[in-house]
Amino acid sequence: MITKKLKDGSVFIYDENIECKIGGIVNDLLAVASKIKDWGVIAPLILSKDNKIVWHGGYIAPNLNMPMSYGVGESYIGQYPGDRSVMVVPFYCAIISKRLIKKIGLDDELGDNIFDDANYCMQAIANDLKIIATDVVSVKRYTDEGTPESINKYSQKLIGKADMFAGRWANILNKHYKLPVCFQTRVSAPTGFAIAVGNYMKSLSEAGIEITYNFIGGAPETEPAPADLFLTAITEKKGEMDMPQIIWGQAPLFFKNSGKYKIGHCEFEGEELPKSWVPYCNMMDELWVPTKWDREKLIKAGVNKPIYIIQQGIDPDYFHPKILPMRIEIPQTFKFICTAAWLPRKNLGNLMKVFAKTFSKNDDVCLIIKTMNLGLVESIEEEIKKLGIPDDSAYIYIKEEDWPASHLPSFYTMGQCFVLPTHGEGWGLPIFEALACGIPVITTGYGAPNEVLRDKENNNKPLPGVHLLDYTMVHARTKYEYLKDSNWAAPNLNQLSEKLLYVYENYQKEKCRALKTSDYIRKEFDWKNCVKPIIARLEDIYKKGF
């Protein structure tokens, strides 16, 4: 490690594997630090030679007591923007304030291993000084893989350091967590349900709630580990029966709730709640749903337990307008985009047919659909053939691919407009994610989007950049067990064509409007805000006893 004392008494520390111009980095870091009260350490974004995140500020993983970086291993696209107070940074490249050095000194082993670095950061926090990560400055770190012998020797050293770190800080860290609760659900499935519950769990944990987990689908060993390392750490701790338990899923799964206080958390996309769901809902002590629309359905169907509204959200560290657009080999300039599973409810076939009638190959426009087959159709390719779309229609690209979750924000910012003429959404995460990324949205004015994406202070009009389609109620045509006897919304397809053409011809105006809504979505539907009603419910449950 190389250290350099600065004029103000702070110390710049870096290792020989960092590629940087020292003078510029020091000045830029100090400029950021000068605006932050009580800073103790400030560190830049550290990238690998292929532009993947090595360190971007970090946390101490619950249950594992392991220092981890946010977004580690992900291609850097602009996630985690700005200056952030974090728990840990490595001392590969950082400035330590004079004030911190005066309080706890300067550790000679900083930068040697992450546990010594984390120990130093924890001491700074214990002395009421902040650890700051910033993306105003980024550096690249080049390292050799080393020999097997050197790697093994370093690994053995880390084990000892990990034990020392846990011995000093584990009890202190664990005291941060309160109100134990068990989520019995599924976090590793490629669905909106899994994305939502994973974010609930992470945000609650960050807010100091003791999260435990049980896999609802069978033996714990049979569930693949989540790609998100924070979520992996949370799921290490298994729940117990003497705590409140939340089942997030379809109501018939509520039968598996073994908690002392039973919470059922569900949503339903159709007009009427399935009759078979009612007895399972009434087995719970209380129910959580995302909208008033769902609450009214439960009450109308005969559910007689308390029902609370718990909305879903987006992660503003990933879904924001400055995310780098995805690079994709498609020549058309204007890109309508959609991401949805290939289900009858999503109405993707009608989207493609309307798009094909609205535009031709002479128009500089295309439709890109990111999708997957969840088993309700035999083959997406065969389903598309049945549509009979003419060869001379505008270009439509189907991406039946498995992307890392961290790539999705780039898909949104690549597009000019998100469109989903759905038959019904219990929430509609992609709609909110697209708006958070600052692009206009066209969707059906039914269900959750119709309730939530309206401006209550402007005569309940759709939010700027949001285009809600008229619809008629029709009998649902689907093999999905719980919807096949229900009604759903059939959006006005002529109006869909008009909206596609309008946004295409008035893009700059609609883009500006959508950017205004992006600010609102990223603030109002930040997962950190969405879990506040959950925390309030848990506080009340524990206060009253159960």
Side-chain angles (χ1 to χ4, degrees), residues 147-159:
T147 64
E149 292 78 12
S150 66
I151 292 172
N152 182 62
K153 184 177 179 180
Y154 184 70
S155 298
Q156 292 299 316
K157 180 180 179 180
L158 278 186
I159 292 172

Side-chain angles (χ1 to χ4, degrees), residues 7 22 38 47 72 94 124 154 181 202 207 260 281 353 381 395 404 419 422 475 477 487 506 509 511 517 523 528:
K7 291 181 180 179
I22 294 175
D38 296 331
L47 301 172
V72 64
Y154 184 70
V181 63
K202 287 167 56 181
K260 192 171 181 181
C281 289
K353 288 194 289 187
E381 185 177 356
Y395 288 92
V419 55
T422 175
H475 187 73
R477 299 179 62 184
N487 293 326
N506 298 272
K509 172 184 163 185
K511 176 67 174 179
T517 295
K523 180 180 179 181
K528 292 180 176 62

Side-chain angles (χ1 to χ4, degrees), residues 500-518:
L500 290 170
L501 200 57
Y502 177 82
V503 174
Y504 176 62
E505 293 176 346
N506 298 272
Y507 173 63
Q508 291 303 325
K509 172 184 163 185
E510 287 302 306
K511 176 67 174 179
C512 290
R513 286 165 54 82
L515 285 171
K516 291 181 180 178
T517 295
S518 168

Side-chain angles (χ1 to χ4, degrees), residues 386-487:
K386 294 176 186 177
L387 299 176
I389 294 174
D391 292 337
D392 63 347
S393 67
Y395 288 92
I396 299 175
Y397 303 94
I398 305 298
K399 301 291 182 181
E400 191 179 354
E401 302 169 0
D402 185 17
W403 294 347
S406 60
H407 287 194
L408 194 54
S410 285
F411 178 66
Y412 292 125
T413 56
M414 173 192 69
Q416 277 65 51
C417 178
F418 180 88
V419 55
L420 180 64
T422 175
H423 289 304
E425 296 295 323
W427 185 258
L429 275 177
I431 297 168
F432 289 81
E433 291 168 348
L435 286 168
C437 288
I439 65 171
V441 160
I442 302 170
T443 193
T444 311
Y446 173 74
N450 184 59
E451 176 180 321
V452 180
L453 295 178
R454 291 185 178 275
D455 188 346
K456 308 301 186 290
E457 298 180 359
N458 188 20
N459 297 318
N460 218 32
K461 293 180 180 179
L463 292 169
V466 176
H467 299 267
L468 298 177
L469 302 171
D470 297 334
Y471 63 90
T472 55
M473 296 304 297
V474 299
H475 187 73
R477 299 179 62 184
T478 177
K479 295 178 181 178
Y480 177 51
E481 179 67 28
Y482 298 120
L483 267 175
K484 65 183 183 182
D485 295 325
S486 184
N487 293 326

Side-chain angles (χ1 to χ4, degrees), residues 71-107:
V72 64
E74 296 174 358
S75 296
Y76 180 63
I77 55 173
Q79 57 272 61
Y80 299 100
D83 311 322
R84 298 147 43 235
S85 181
V86 297
M87 293 186 75
V88 59
V89 295
F91 287 91
Y92 304 145
C93 181
I95 296 178
I96 304 171
S97 71
K98 176 183 177 180
R99 187 176 173 188
L100 178 57
I101 295 170
K102 186 175 180 180
K103 281 178 175 283
I104 64 173
L106 190 64
D107 192 331

Side-chain angles (χ1 to χ4, degrees), residues 54-190:
V54 176
W55 270 91
H56 197 4
Y59 56 94
I60 308 301
N63 305 318
L64 303 180
N65 297 309
M66 174 74 72
M68 293 183 177
S69 171
Y70 290 102
V72 64
E74 296 174 358
S75 296
Y76 180 63
I77 55 173
Q79 57 272 61
Y80 299 100
D83 311 322
R84 298 147 43 235
S85 181
V86 297
M87 293 186 75
V88 59
V89 295
F91 287 91
Y92 304 145
C93 181
I95 296 178
I96 304 171
S97 71
K98 176 183 177 180
R99 187 176 173 188
L100 178 57
I101 295 170
K102 186 175 180 180
K103 281 178 175 283
I104 64 173
L106 190 64
D107 192 331
D108 292 337
E109 295 190 0
L110 290 180
D112 182 54
N113 68 82
I114 191 57
F115 289 102
D116 283 338
D117 293 353
N119 177 60
Y120 194 81
C121 290
M122 291 297 292
Q123 289 182 72
I125 293 170
N127 280 275
D128 299 320
L129 296 178
K130 298 172 183 174
I131 309 300
I132 303 298
T134 181
D135 65 350
V136 170
V137 181
S138 65
V139 299
K140 292 201 171 181
R141 188 170 191 260
Y142 299 86
T143 56
D144 296 325
E145 292 184 358
T147 64
E149 292 78 12
S150 66
I151 292 172
N152 182 62
K153 184 177 179 180
Y154 184 70
S155 298
Q156 292 299 316
K157 180 180 179 180
L158 278 186
I159 292 172
K161 293 290 186 178
D163 291 341
M164 290 174 62
F165 179 81
R168 179 169 185 179
W169 296 106
N171 288 337
I172 295 172
L173 290 167
N174 290 338
K175 287 179 181 178
H176 169 69
Y177 297 102
K178 59 182 180 179
L179 306 175
V181 63
C182 175
F183 277 85
Q184 185 170 192
T185 184
R186 184 191 304 264
V187 296
S188 57

Side-chain angles (χ1 to χ4, degrees), residues 355-363 388-395:
F355 179 81
K357 289 180 181 179
T358 305
F359 301 103
S360 73
K361 280 190 175 175
N362 295 325
D363 296 313
I389 294 174
D391 292 337
D392 63 347
S393 67
Y395 288 92

